[in-house]
Amino acid sequence: LVEGIHFDTQSVMTDENGHEIKSDQGGTMIPDVLVYYPDDTMVVIDSKVSLKAFNDYMSAEQPEVKKLNAQKVVDSISAHINELKNKNYTSFIPEGKRKVDFNIMFIPIEGAFQLMLDADPKLWQTAKDNNVLIVSQMTLTIVLNMIQMAWKQHSQEENLQKVFTTASEMMSQIKNWLVEYEKVGNYLGKAQD
């Protein structure tokens, strides 16, 4: 995927007139990544995780401290879900653009994602119910590969259309040449007569 065509990072969301979009609280809307599908669909990805809470969990040796820090990771992720739900980036996508009904919350540390699933298995569903899709490195890679395949297919369709247009123009040129060639034959026949 090519930045500026297929996606933008840390770009300010703008309306159809190019004006900055402000949230209901007055803040500028700057998602981590805006990903574009060939059909003008926009997907918002925001990266969220508390590195401190996860680091504390990983370095804890006592089971009760580990459990406490695991809860801090879950609480942090839950707070990020609420933050994304409240930002509701998709409601600010300009008219004319298609949008999915959810924001993607990327947890860049696979271990933190797995810890969330283990410590609070219902949190993923709670996020989904609030239009926030939580993904890890592995699942984000799958989503981005699907988007890349859509762009490849779109590009192939455009190329096929160009080939068809070129072939049609070529056939038209050949037809014109054959008409002229036939005229030359007729004129030669008349000249011979």
Side-chain angles (χ1 to χ4, degrees):
L1 299 173
V2 178
E3 188 166 5
I5 297 173
H6 306 120
F7 69 95
D8 286 309
T9 57
Q10 295 292 314
S11 62
V12 174
M13 291 184 75
T14 57
D15 61 19
E16 55 273 0
N17 299 319
H19 299 111
E20 277 187 12
I21 296 175
K22 302 283 186 184
S23 68
D24 295 336
Q25 292 78 27
T28 302
M29 301 295 282
I30 307 174
D32 291 327
V33 181
L34 284 171
V35 181
Y36 312 110
Y37 277 85
D39 67 354
D40 277 341
T41 299
M42 294 174 66
V43 179
V44 176
I45 301 175
D46 230 19
S47 179
K48 302 286 185 197
V49 72
S50 171
L51 294 176
K52 181 183 180 340
F54 184 69
N55 189 42
D56 290 348
Y57 167 80
M58 292 301 292
S59 61
E61 294 179 14
Q62 299 170 342
E64 59 275 356
V65 174
K66 206 162 191 69
K67 185 175 180 179
L68 178 68
N69 287 326
Q71 188 58 49
K72 286 181 183 179
V73 170
V74 169
D75 291 344
S76 170
I77 291 171
S78 184
H80 290 312
I81 291 167
N82 288 328
E83 180 185 334
L84 277 177
K85 178 182 77 170
N86 292 333
K87 281 186 178 178
N88 193 12
Y89 285 119
T90 56
S91 68
F92 295 101
I93 291 176
E95 288 298 319
K97 297 282 187 189
R98 298 176 67 190
K99 53 190 164 194
V100 293
D101 292 333
F102 55 85
N103 297 312
I104 295 177
M105 181 176 137
F106 172 53
I107 298 179
I109 302 169
E110 198 73 34
F113 179 78
Q114 191 58 50
L115 175 62
M116 174 207 67
L117 292 176
D118 293 341
D120 189 349
K122 294 180 182 178
L123 188 57
W124 191 91
Q125 185 63 46
T126 301
K128 185 176 172 282
D129 293 344
N130 286 289
N131 299 326
V132 177
L133 180 64
I134 303 174
V135 298
S136 65
Q137 290 177 347
M138 188 173 16
T139 51
L140 180 62
T141 300
I142 292 167
V143 169
L144 293 177
N145 280 335
M146 289 174 25
I147 293 170
Q148 185 179 25
M149 286 189 303
W151 275 106
K152 282 182 180 179
Q153 183 177 5
H154 176 74
S155 182
Q156 288 171 347
E157 289 171 5
E158 280 185 337
N159 287 340
L160 283 174
Q161 186 59 42
K162 287 178 186 175
V163 167
F164 179 76
T165 301
T166 302
S168 294
E169 290 172 0
M170 222 166 135
M171 292 303 291
S172 178
Q173 294 287 340
I174 289 172
K175 180 182 174 191
N176 291 341
W177 181 83
L178 285 172
V179 168
E180 294 302 317
Y181 186 75
E182 190 176 314
K183 286 181 185 176
V184 168
N186 290 337
Y187 289 138
L188 284 173
K190 287 181 184 177
Q192 192 175 21
D193 288 345

